[in-house]
Amino acid sequence: SSDANARTFTIAANASVAYALGTVITFINMSASNVTIAINSDTLTWAQGGGTGSRTLAQYGMATAVKVTSTKWYINGNAQLT
């Protein structure tokens, strides 16, 4: 994202898109607004602290999500807000 609009990017559920284990998705926010990284019915776990659910990526932040089981992703990055 590189404009001034708030955005939400959603990782599709395994039932919809069966990404291979080990798939990596990197998010970079070049926008002036926060970017939300969401997930459908699977689990997105934040590597810092273990919380689950959507994460918000602040301006100039970068985050990487890695698929570790068929329905679980881990996300880590800088400038993330809970």
Side-chain angles (χ1 to χ4, degrees):
S1 182
S2 62
D3 56 30
N5 298 312
R7 304 248 185 232
T8 299
F9 294 97
T10 303
I11 299 171
N14 190 67
S16 299
V17 179
Y19 291 106
L21 294 181
T23 295
V24 175
I25 302 173
T26 299
F27 301 89
I28 300 171
N29 182 7
M30 296 300 294
S31 167
S33 298
N34 289 338
V35 169
T36 301
I37 302 166
I39 195 155
N40 283 335
S41 59
D42 296 344
T43 302
L44 180 64
T45 301
W46 195 14
Q48 298 98 330
T52 59
S54 297
R55 293 290 170 244
T56 302
L57 190 59
Q59 183 179 26
Y60 302 119
M62 185 168 128
T64 300
V66 180
K67 187 172 185 175
V68 294
T69 72
S70 62
T71 60
K72 183 175 244 183
W73 293 76
Y74 278 99
I75 189 165
N76 190 18
N78 65 350
Q80 279 184 277
L81 310 173
T82 56

